[in-house]
């Protein structure tokens, strides 16, 4: 879940917690990386090490941190759908940082710092770049945050009441009485019925002729009463579900609130008066300060407008610098190639190997010329023999023709 307080801390640079805003952003970045499944796709597949929640905030090893920063940025760019090759340790840091900033401009993320801030691979600017890449990767993956679902409160079980054989619970007695008369509702004896029955019996009974006197000893009666008295106690436990108990509590709380309200009213009225006076003083001082600081505010607005213009010019110039930096890197590579060729030619000119090769070639050509001369002589001899043979054959043919004509 994104922290909304982070934006407030960043906007209010004078807040005491503004120095730790980047640490909070780094923790958010780590949570986003976990959502993007970086444990498997980045750490395990690419054989990289895990990063802590303050890895890019505490400078430890600039080389390792810059390589981790560029590798993580390249992985997030690939997660966003763009082909971005993984950086190597031998790559030029300037070209790598320029390519990362170019992709930031493609996704329309404002860059208000110089590229040199990212060469260390640590700090709030590196965390800012990675956080923007992670946000865009989550956007491309169509990830959506869900509202927090608060689980319902667990019902607290009421402690069981330990039963005491010496005490009778009123509810238990009522349940037993209802269970006895549950089978036949007509046989249930109500309190009103008992009263009517008692009146009828008392009216129908005859008064005794003389006063009845008890024959039980008083001492024995007291001893028996002391023995039976603990068993005759009837304890009723308060039930939380009883509306009468709730009503009594409400009455008690209402009476206590009524007693304490008189003193509280006076304190609240005094507090209301003090707050009103303080607000009036604050508004008066605010008006006075606004009047005094109005020229400075106008000047501040003008400076802010100029600052925005300068920032816009700086962005345009930084884009040209990036292009020139790329051209410079290309020319530097061509210059290195030319230097390498010149070094090879210089070393070959000072070395005697070419002369030896020339001598070997000349001797080889002489041997080939001699072989060719021999072959030419053989061919000339063969040609001469064939000519002699042809002339002799022609002479013989002419002689045979002459003899035939003479005959």
């Amino acid at each position: 879940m994104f922290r909304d307080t982070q934006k407030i801390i960043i906007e209010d640079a004078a807040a005491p917690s503004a120095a730790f805003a980047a640490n909070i952003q780094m923790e958010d970045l780590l949570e986003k990386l976990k959502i993007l499944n970086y444990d498997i796709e980045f750490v395990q597949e690419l054989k990289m090490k895990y990063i802590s929640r303050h890895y890019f905030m505490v400078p430890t090893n600039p080389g390792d941190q810059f390589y981790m920063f560029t590798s993580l940025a390249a992985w997030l760019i690939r997660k966003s759908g763009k082909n971005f090759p993984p950086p190597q340790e031998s790559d030029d840091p300037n070209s790598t940082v320029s390519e990362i900033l170019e992709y930031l401009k493609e996704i329309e993320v404002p860059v208000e710092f110089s590229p040199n801030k990212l060469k260390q691979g640590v700090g709030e600017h590196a965390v800012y770049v990675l956080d923007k890449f992670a946000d865009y990767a989550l956007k491309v993956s169509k990830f959506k945050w869900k509202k927090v679902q608060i689980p319902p409160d667990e019902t607290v079980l009421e402690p069981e009441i330990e039963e005491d054989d010496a005490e009778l619970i009123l509810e238990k007695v009522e349940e037993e009485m209802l269970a006895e008369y549950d089978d036949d509702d007509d046989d249930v004896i109500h309190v009103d019925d008992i009263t009517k029955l008692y009146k009828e019996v008392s009216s129908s009974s005859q008064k005794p002729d003389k006063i009845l006197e008890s024959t039980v000893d008083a001492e024995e009666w007291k001893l028996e009463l002391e023995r039976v008295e603990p068993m005759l106690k009837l304890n009723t436990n308060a039930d939380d579900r009883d509306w009468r108990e709730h009503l009594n509590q409400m009455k008690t709380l209402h009476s206590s609130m009524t007693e304490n309200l008189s003193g509280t009213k006076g304190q609240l009225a005094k507090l209301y008066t003090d707050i009103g006076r303080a607000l009036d003083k604050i508004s008066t001082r605010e008006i006075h300060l606004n009047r005094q600081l109005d020229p400075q505010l106008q000047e501040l607005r003008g400076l802010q407008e100029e600052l925005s213009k300068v920032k816009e010019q700086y962005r345009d110039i930084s884009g040209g610098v990036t292009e020139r930096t790329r051209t410079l890197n290309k020319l530097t590579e061509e210059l290195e190639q030319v230097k390498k060729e010149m070094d090879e030619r210089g070393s070959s000119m000072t070395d005697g190997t070419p002369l030896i090769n020339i001598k070997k070639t000349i001797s080889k050509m002489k041997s080939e010329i001699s072989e060719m001369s021999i072959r030419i002589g053989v061919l000339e001899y063969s040609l001469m023999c064939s000519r002699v043979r042809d002339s002799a054959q022609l002479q013989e043919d002419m002689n045979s023709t002459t003899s035939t004509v003479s005959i």
Side-chain angles (χ1 to χ4, degrees), residues 27 96-97 148 154 158 190 196 199 222 246 282 314 331 339:
E27 294 181 1
T96 305
V97 170
V148 179
E154 297 181 357
E158 297 180 356
H190 298 284
K196 293 178 181 179
K199 289 181 179 179
K222 289 181 180 179
H246 285 288
I282 290 171
Y314 174 75
L331 293 175
K339 285 183 179 180

Side-chain angles (χ1 to χ4, degrees), residues 214-227:
S214 175
T215 58
V216 180
D217 189 2
E219 296 295 331
E220 292 181 0
W221 176 261
K222 289 181 180 179
L223 292 175
E224 184 66 20
L225 180 60
E226 291 177 359
R227 185 181 67 82

Side-chain angles (χ1 to χ4, degrees), residues 250-269:
M250 290 172 65
K251 289 180 178 179
T252 305
L253 294 175
H254 183 266
S255 61
S256 62
M257 288 173 63
T258 305
E259 293 175 359
N260 298 326
L261 186 60
S262 58
T264 308
K265 276 185 177 180
Q267 295 178 1
L268 290 175

Side-chain angles (χ1 to χ4, degrees), residues 28-60:
D28 288 341
L29 171 63
L30 191 59
E31 296 297 329
K32 294 172 187 176
L33 292 176
K34 291 179 181 179
I35 294 173
L36 291 171
N37 200 17
Y38 109 107
D39 295 333
I40 298 175
E41 297 181 7
F42 181 74
V43 177
Q44 297 182 6
E45 293 182 1
L46 300 180
K47 307 299 182 183
M48 305 296 287
K49 63 180 181 180
Y50 287 92
I51 60 175
S52 62
R53 61 178 183 174
H54 301 301
Y55 180 78
F56 292 113
M57 293 305 301
V58 181
T60 55

